[in-house]
Coordinates of all heavy atoms in Angstrom, one line a residue:
M20 N -12.8 -0.3 -12.0 CA -12.3 0.8 -12.8 C -12.3 2.1 -12.0 O -13.2 2.4 -11.3 CB -13.1 1.0 -14.1 CG -12.4 1.9 -15.1 SD -13.5 2.0 -16.6 CE -14.7 3.2 -16.0
A21 N -11.2 2.8 -12.2 CA -11.2 4.1 -11.4 C -12.3 5.1 -11.9 O -12.7 5.0 -13.0 CB -9.8 4.8 -11.7
K22 N -12.7 5.8 -10.9 CA -13.8 6.7 -11.2 C -13.4 8.2 -11.4 O -14.2 9.0 -11.9 CB -14.9 6.6 -10.1 CG -15.4 5.3 -9.9 CD -16.6 5.3 -8.9 CE -17.1 4.0 -8.4 NZ -16.2 3.3 -7.5
F23 N -12.3 8.5 -10.9 CA -11.9 10.0 -10.9 C -10.5 10.1 -11.5 O -9.6 9.3 -11.2 CB -11.9 10.6 -9.6 CG -13.3 10.6 -9.0 CD1 -13.6 9.7 -8.0 CD2 -14.3 11.5 -9.3 CE1 -14.9 9.6 -7.5 CE2 -15.5 11.4 -8.8 CZ -15.9 10.5 -7.9
K24 N -10.3 11.1 -12.3 CA -8.9 11.4 -12.8 C -8.4 12.7 -12.1 O -9.2 13.6 -11.9 CB -9.0 11.7 -14.3 CG -7.6 11.8 -14.9 CD -7.7 11.8 -16.5 CE -6.4 12.0 -17.1 NZ -5.4 11.0 -16.8
I25 N -7.2 12.6 -11.6 CA -6.6 13.7 -10.8 C -5.6 14.4 -11.7 O -4.7 13.8 -12.3 CB -5.8 13.1 -9.6 CG1 -6.7 12.2 -8.8 CG2 -5.2 14.3 -8.8 CD1 -7.9 12.8 -8.2
I26 N -5.8 15.7 -11.9 CA -4.9 16.5 -12.7 C -4.4 17.7 -12.0 O -5.1 18.4 -11.3 CB -5.7 17.0 -13.9 CG1 -6.2 15.8 -14.8 CG2 -4.9 18.0 -14.8 CD1 -7.4 16.2 -15.6
V27 N -3.0 17.9 -12.1 CA -2.4 19.2 -11.6 C -2.1 20.0 -12.8 O -1.3 19.5 -13.7 CB -1.2 18.9 -10.7 CG1 -0.6 20.3 -10.3 CG2 -1.5 18.1 -9.5
T28 N -2.8 21.1 -13.0 CA -2.5 21.9 -14.1 C -1.2 22.7 -14.0 O -0.6 22.8 -12.9 CB -3.7 22.9 -14.4 OG1 -3.6 24.0 -13.4 CG2 -5.0 22.2 -14.2
D29 N -0.8 23.4 -15.1 CA 0.4 24.2 -15.1 C 0.2 25.5 -14.3 O 1.2 26.3 -14.3 CB 1.0 24.4 -16.5 CG 0.0 25.1 -17.4 OD1 -1.0 25.6 -16.9 OD2 0.3 25.1 -18.6
E30 N -0.9 25.7 -13.7 CA -1.1 26.8 -12.8 C -0.4 26.6 -11.5 O -0.2 27.6 -10.7 CB -2.6 27.1 -12.6 CG -3.3 27.7 -13.8 CD -4.8 27.5 -13.7 OE1 -5.3 26.4 -14.1 OE2 -5.4 28.5 -13.4
C31 N 0.0 25.4 -11.2 CA 0.7 25.1 -9.9 C 1.9 26.0 -9.7 O 2.6 26.2 -10.6 CB 1.1 23.6 -9.9 SG 2.2 23.2 -8.5
I32 N 2.0 26.6 -8.5 CA 3.1 27.4 -8.2 C 4.1 26.7 -7.2 O 5.0 27.4 -6.7 CB 2.6 28.7 -7.5 CG1 1.7 28.5 -6.3 CG2 1.8 29.5 -8.6 CD1 1.3 29.7 -5.5
G33 N 3.9 25.5 -6.9 CA 4.8 24.7 -6.1 C 4.8 25.1 -4.7 O 5.8 24.9 -4.0
C34 N 3.6 25.5 -4.2 CA 3.7 26.0 -2.7 C 3.7 24.8 -1.8 O 4.1 25.0 -0.6 CB 2.4 26.8 -2.5 SG 0.9 25.8 -2.5
G35 N 3.4 23.6 -2.2 CA 3.5 22.4 -1.3 C 2.3 22.2 -0.4 O 2.4 21.2 0.4
Q36 N 1.3 23.0 -0.5 CA 0.2 22.8 0.5 C -0.6 21.5 0.3 O -1.0 20.8 1.2 CB -0.8 24.0 0.4 CG -0.1 25.2 1.0 CD -1.2 26.3 1.3 OE1 -2.2 26.0 2.0 NE2 -1.0 27.5 0.7
C37 N -0.7 21.1 -1.0 CA -1.4 19.9 -1.3 C -0.6 18.6 -0.7 O -1.2 17.7 -0.3 CB -1.6 19.7 -2.8 SG -0.1 19.7 -3.7
V38 N 0.7 18.7 -0.8 CA 1.5 17.7 -0.3 C 1.3 17.5 1.2 O 1.4 16.3 1.8 CB 3.0 18.0 -0.5 CG1 3.9 16.9 0.1 CG2 3.3 18.1 -2.1
N39 N 1.1 18.6 1.9 CA 0.9 18.6 3.4 C -0.5 17.9 3.8 O -0.6 17.3 4.9 CB 0.9 20.0 4.0 CG 2.3 20.6 3.9 OD1 3.3 19.8 3.9 ND2 2.4 21.9 3.9
V40 N -1.5 18.0 2.9 CA -2.8 17.5 3.3 C -3.2 16.2 2.6 O -4.1 15.5 3.0 CB -3.9 18.5 3.0 CG1 -3.7 19.8 3.8 CG2 -4.1 18.8 1.5
C41 N -2.4 15.8 1.6 CA -2.7 14.5 0.9 C -1.5 13.8 0.5 O -0.6 14.4 -0.2 CB -3.7 14.9 -0.3 SG -4.3 13.4 -1.1
D42 N -1.4 12.6 0.8 CA -0.2 11.8 0.5 C -0.2 11.3 -1.0 O 0.7 10.6 -1.4 CB 0.0 10.6 1.4 CG -1.1 9.6 1.3 OD1 -2.0 9.7 0.5 OD2 -1.1 8.7 2.1
N43 N -1.2 11.8 -1.8 CA -1.1 11.4 -3.2 C -0.4 12.5 -4.0 O -0.3 12.4 -5.2 CB -2.6 11.3 -3.8 CG -2.6 10.7 -5.1 OD1 -1.8 9.8 -5.5 ND2 -3.6 11.1 -6.0
Y44 N 0.3 13.4 -3.4 CA 1.0 14.5 -4.1 C 2.4 14.5 -3.7 O 2.7 14.3 -2.5 CB 0.3 15.9 -3.9 CG -1.1 15.8 -4.5 CD1 -2.1 15.4 -3.7 CD2 -1.3 16.2 -5.8 CE1 -3.4 15.4 -4.2 CE2 -2.6 16.2 -6.3 CZ -3.7 15.7 -5.5 OH -4.9 15.6 -5.9
E45 N 3.3 14.8 -4.6 CA 4.7 15.0 -4.3 C 5.2 16.2 -5.2 O 4.7 16.3 -6.4 CB 5.5 13.8 -4.5 CG 5.4 13.2 -5.9 CD 6.1 11.8 -6.0 OE1 6.6 11.3 -5.0 OE2 5.9 11.2 -7.1
L46 N 6.2 16.9 -4.7 CA 6.8 17.9 -5.5 C 7.9 17.3 -6.3 O 8.7 16.6 -5.8 CB 7.3 19.0 -4.6 CG 6.3 19.9 -3.9 CD1 7.0 21.0 -3.1 CD2 5.3 20.6 -4.8
G47 N 7.8 17.5 -7.7 CA 8.8 16.8 -8.5 C 10.1 17.6 -8.6 O 10.2 18.7 -8.0
S48 N 11.0 17.1 -9.4 CA 12.3 17.8 -9.5 C 12.1 19.1 -10.2 O 13.0 20.0 -10.2 CB 13.3 16.9 -10.3 OG 12.7 16.5 -11.5
D49 N 10.9 19.3 -10.9 CA 10.6 20.6 -11.5 C 10.1 21.6 -10.6 O 9.8 22.7 -10.9 CB 9.6 20.3 -12.7 CG 8.3 19.7 -12.2 OD1 8.2 19.5 -11.0 OD2 7.5 19.4 -13.1
G50 N 9.9 21.2 -9.3 CA 9.4 22.1 -8.3 C 7.9 22.2 -8.2 O 7.4 23.0 -7.4
Y51 N 7.2 21.4 -9.0 CA 5.8 21.5 -9.0 C 5.2 20.2 -8.6 O 5.8 19.1 -8.6 CB 5.2 21.8 -10.4 CG 5.7 23.2 -11.0 CD1 6.7 23.2 -12.0 CD2 5.3 24.3 -10.4 CE1 7.2 24.5 -12.4 CE2 5.8 25.6 -10.8 CZ 6.7 25.6 -11.8 OH 7.2 26.9 -12.2
S52 N 3.9 20.3 -8.1 CA 3.2 19.1 -7.6 C 2.7 18.2 -8.7 O 2.3 18.6 -9.8 CB 2.0 19.6 -6.8 OG 1.2 18.5 -6.4
H53 N 2.8 16.9 -8.4 CA 2.3 15.8 -9.3 C 1.6 14.8 -8.5 O 2.1 14.4 -7.4 CB 3.5 15.2 -10.0 CG 4.3 16.2 -10.9 ND1 4.0 16.5 -12.1 CD2 5.4 16.8 -10.6 CE1 4.8 17.4 -12.6 NE2 5.7 17.6 -11.7
P54 N 0.5 14.3 -9.0 CA -0.2 13.3 -8.3 C 0.6 11.9 -8.5 O 1.1 11.6 -9.6 CB -1.6 13.2 -9.0 CG -1.4 13.8 -10.3 CD -0.3 14.7 -10.3
K55 N 0.7 11.2 -7.4 CA 1.4 9.8 -7.5 C 0.5 8.9 -8.2 O 0.9 8.1 -9.0 CB 1.7 9.3 -6.1 CG 2.6 10.2 -5.3 CD 2.8 9.6 -3.9 CE 3.6 10.5 -3.0 NZ 3.6 10.1 -1.6
V56 N -0.9 8.9 -7.9 CA -1.8 8.1 -8.6 C -2.8 9.0 -9.4 O -3.4 9.9 -8.7 CB -2.6 7.2 -7.6 CG1 -3.6 6.3 -8.4 CG2 -1.6 6.3 -6.8
E57 N -2.9 8.8 -10.7 CA -3.7 9.8 -11.5 C -5.2 9.3 -11.6 O -6.0 10.1 -12.0 CB -3.1 10.0 -12.8 CG -1.7 10.7 -12.7 CD -1.1 10.9 -14.1 OE1 -1.8 10.6 -15.1 OE2 0.0 11.4 -14.1
E58 N -5.4 8.0 -11.4 CA -6.8 7.6 -11.5 C -7.2 6.9 -10.2 O -6.5 5.9 -9.8 CB -7.0 6.7 -12.7 CG -6.8 7.5 -14.0 CD -7.3 6.7 -15.3 OE1 -7.7 5.6 -15.1 OE2 -7.3 7.3 -16.3
V59 N -8.2 7.3 -9.5 CA -8.6 6.8 -8.2 C -10.1 6.4 -8.2 O -10.9 7.0 -8.9 CB -8.2 7.8 -7.1 CG1 -6.8 8.1 -7.0 CG2 -9.0 9.1 -7.3
D60 N -10.4 5.5 -7.3 CA -11.8 5.1 -7.1 C -12.6 6.1 -6.3 O -13.7 6.3 -6.4 CB -11.9 3.7 -6.5 CG -11.4 2.7 -7.5 OD1 -11.5 2.9 -8.7 OD2 -10.9 1.6 -7.0
E61 N -11.9 6.7 -5.3 CA -12.5 7.6 -4.3 C -11.7 8.9 -4.4 O -10.5 8.9 -4.5 CB -12.5 7.0 -2.9 CG -13.1 5.6 -2.8 CD -14.6 5.7 -2.9 OE1 -15.2 6.8 -2.7 OE2 -15.2 4.6 -3.1
K62 N -12.4 10.0 -4.2 CA -11.7 11.3 -4.1 C -10.7 11.4 -3.0 O -9.6 11.9 -3.1 CB -12.7 12.4 -4.1 CG -13.4 12.6 -5.3 CD -14.4 13.8 -5.2 CE -15.3 14.0 -6.4 NZ -16.2 15.1 -6.2
G63 N -11.2 10.9 -1.8 CA -10.4 10.8 -0.6 C -9.8 12.2 -0.3 O -10.4 13.3 -0.5
C64 N -8.5 12.2 0.0 CA -7.8 13.5 0.4 C -7.6 14.4 -0.8 O -7.1 15.5 -0.6 CB -6.6 13.2 1.2 SG -5.3 12.3 0.3
N65 N -7.8 13.8 -2.0 CA -7.5 14.7 -3.2 C -8.5 15.9 -3.2 O -8.1 17.0 -3.6 CB -7.8 13.9 -4.4 CG -6.7 12.9 -4.7 OD1 -5.6 13.2 -4.9 ND2 -7.1 11.6 -4.5
E66 N -9.7 15.7 -2.5 CA -10.6 16.8 -2.4 C -10.1 17.9 -1.5 O -10.2 19.1 -1.8 CB -12.0 16.2 -1.9 CG -13.1 17.2 -2.2 CD -14.4 16.4 -2.3 OE1 -14.6 15.5 -1.4 OE2 -15.3 16.7 -3.1
A67 N -9.5 17.5 -0.4 CA -8.9 18.5 0.5 C -7.7 19.2 -0.1 O -7.6 20.4 0.0 CB -8.4 17.8 1.8
A68 N -7.0 18.5 -1.0 CA -5.8 19.1 -1.7 C -6.4 20.1 -2.7 O -5.8 21.2 -2.8 CB -5.0 18.0 -2.4
A69 N -7.4 19.8 -3.4 CA -8.0 20.7 -4.3 C -8.5 21.9 -3.7 O -8.4 23.1 -4.1 CB -9.1 20.0 -5.1
D70 N -9.2 21.7 -2.5 CA -9.7 22.8 -1.7 C -8.7 23.8 -1.2 O -8.9 25.0 -1.2 CB -10.6 22.3 -0.5 CG -11.9 21.8 -1.0 OD1 -12.3 22.0 -2.1 OD2 -12.5 21.1 -0.2
I71 N -7.5 23.2 -0.8 CA -6.5 24.1 -0.1 C -5.6 24.8 -1.2 O -4.9 25.8 -0.8 CB -5.7 23.2 0.9 CG1 -5.1 24.1 1.9 CG2 -4.6 22.4 0.1 CD1 -4.4 23.4 3.1
C72 N -5.6 24.3 -2.4 CA -4.6 24.8 -3.4 C -5.0 26.3 -3.7 O -6.2 26.6 -4.0 CB -4.7 24.0 -4.7 SG -3.7 24.8 -6.0
P73 N -4.1 27.2 -3.5 CA -4.4 28.6 -3.6 C -4.7 29.1 -5.0 O -5.2 30.2 -5.2 CB -3.1 29.3 -3.0 CG -2.1 28.3 -3.1 CD -2.7 27.0 -3.0
V74 N -4.3 28.3 -6.0 CA -4.5 28.7 -7.3 C -5.4 27.8 -8.1 O -5.5 27.8 -9.3 CB -3.1 28.9 -8.1 CG1 -2.3 30.1 -7.5 CG2 -2.3 27.6 -8.1
S75 N -6.1 26.9 -7.4 CA -7.0 26.0 -8.0 C -6.4 25.1 -9.1 O -7.0 25.0 -10.2 CB -8.3 26.7 -8.5 OG -8.9 27.4 -7.4
A76 N -5.2 24.7 -8.9 CA -4.5 23.9 -9.9 C -4.9 22.4 -10.0 O -4.5 21.8 -10.9 CB -3.0 24.1 -9.7
I77 N -5.5 22.0 -8.9 CA -5.9 20.6 -8.8 C -7.3 20.4 -9.3 O -8.2 20.9 -8.8 CB -5.7 20.0 -7.4 CG1 -4.2 20.1 -7.0 CG2 -6.2 18.5 -7.3 CD1 -4.0 19.8 -5.6
K78 N -7.4 19.5 -10.3 CA -8.8 19.2 -10.9 C -9.1 17.8 -10.6 O -8.2 16.9 -10.8 CB -8.8 19.5 -12.4 CG -8.2 20.8 -12.9 CD -9.1 22.0 -12.5 CE -8.6 23.3 -13.0 NZ -9.2 24.5 -12.3
I79 N -10.3 17.5 -10.2 CA -10.7 16.1 -10.1 C -11.9 15.9 -11.0 O -12.9 16.5 -10.9 CB -11.3 15.9 -8.6 CG1 -10.1 16.2 -7.6 CG2 -11.7 14.4 -8.5 CD1 -10.6 16.1 -6.1
E80 N -11.6 15.1 -12.1 CA -12.6 14.9 -13.1 C -13.2 13.5 -13.0 O -12.5 12.5 -12.9 CB -12.0 15.1 -14.5 CG -11.6 16.5 -14.8 CD -11.0 16.6 -16.2 OE1 -10.9 15.6 -16.9 OE2 -10.7 17.8 -16.6
E81 N -14.5 13.5 -13.1 CA -15.2 12.2 -13.1 C -14.9 11.5 -14.4 O -15.0 12.1 -15.5 CB -16.7 12.4 -12.9 CG -17.4 11.2 -12.3 CD -18.7 11.6 -11.6 OE1 -18.9 12.7 -11.3 OE2 -19.5 10.7 -11.5
I82 N -14.6 10.3 -14.4 CA -14.3 9.5 -15.6 C -15.7 9.0 -16.1 O -16.4 8.2 -15.4 CB -13.3 8.4 -15.3 CG1 -11.9 9.0 -15.0 CG2 -13.2 7.5 -16.6 CD1 -10.9 7.9 -14.4
D83 N -16.0 9.2 -17.3 CA -17.2 8.7 -17.9 C -17.0 7.3 -18.4 O -16.2 7.1 -19.3 CB -17.6 9.7 -19.1 CG -18.9 9.3 -19.7 OD1 -19.4 8.1 -19.4 OD2 -19.4 10.0 -20.5
G84 N -17.6 6.4 -17.8 CA -17.4 5.0 -18.1 C -17.7 4.7 -19.5 O -17.0 3.8 -20.1
A85 N -18.6 5.4 -20.1 CA -18.9 5.0 -21.5 C -17.9 5.4 -22.5 O -17.8 4.9 -23.5 CB -20.2 5.9 -21.9
K86 N -17.0 6.4 -22.0 CA -16.0 6.8 -23.0 C -14.7 6.0 -22.8 O -13.8 6.1 -23.6 CB -15.7 8.3 -22.7 CG -16.7 9.3 -23.2 CD -16.3 10.7 -23.0 CE -17.4 11.6 -23.3 NZ -17.2 13.0 -22.8
K87 N -14.5 5.3 -21.7 CA -13.3 4.6 -21.5 C -13.3 3.2 -22.1 O -14.3 2.5 -22.0 CB -13.1 4.4 -20.0 CG -12.6 5.7 -19.4 CD -11.2 5.9 -19.2 CE -10.0 5.3 -18.9 NZ -8.7 5.9 -19.1
Ligands
SF4_115 S1 -1.4 23.4 -3.5 FE1 -1.6 23.8 -5.7 S2 -0.1 25.4 -6.1 FE2 0.5 24.4 -4.2 S3 1.9 22.7 -4.8 FE3 -0.2 21.8 -4.7 S4 -1.1 22.0 -6.8 FE4 0.7 23.4 -6.7

């Protein structure tokens, strides 16, 4: 079971920096970033994407196994 949920909030300004550092992101036709895979076992490059985002729009939430 996946351990982390990846969320791009509506604070995204579509700057594309997350796309450059992590292949789990793509800019949609709306001009904003979306994660390709929303539930992952490892944070991997999602952490770098969250760090580089200038508006902190990328959230990585631990999934509580008891709630799923
Ligand atoms: S780095 Fe942040 S603001 Fe820029 S496209 Fe990615 S999620 Fe959006």
Side-chain angles (χ1 to χ4, degrees):
M20 195 181 75
K22 299 189 189 78
F23 300 101
K24 187 168 177 63
I25 310 298
I26 297 156
V27 178
T28 73
D29 58 12
E30 288 161 280
C31 173
I32 55 173
C34 71
Q36 291 196 55
C37 56
V38 176
N39 290 334
V40 298
C41 186
D42 61 6
N43 192 31
Y44 298 86
E45 59 190 354
L46 291 181
S48 54
D49 57 3
Y51 299 110
S52 173
H53 301 277
K55 295 178 188 170
V56 180
E57 294 183 3
E58 293 192 357
V59 297
D60 291 332
E61 306 288 340
K62 291 182 186 177
C64 63
N65 292 292
E66 201 156 38
D70 285 346
I71 205 169
C72 178
V74 293
S75 302
I77 297 175
K78 311 291 183 196
I79 303 173
E80 291 184 355
E81 207 160 339
I82 296 170
D83 184 347
K86 286 184 187 163
K87 283 267 321 171

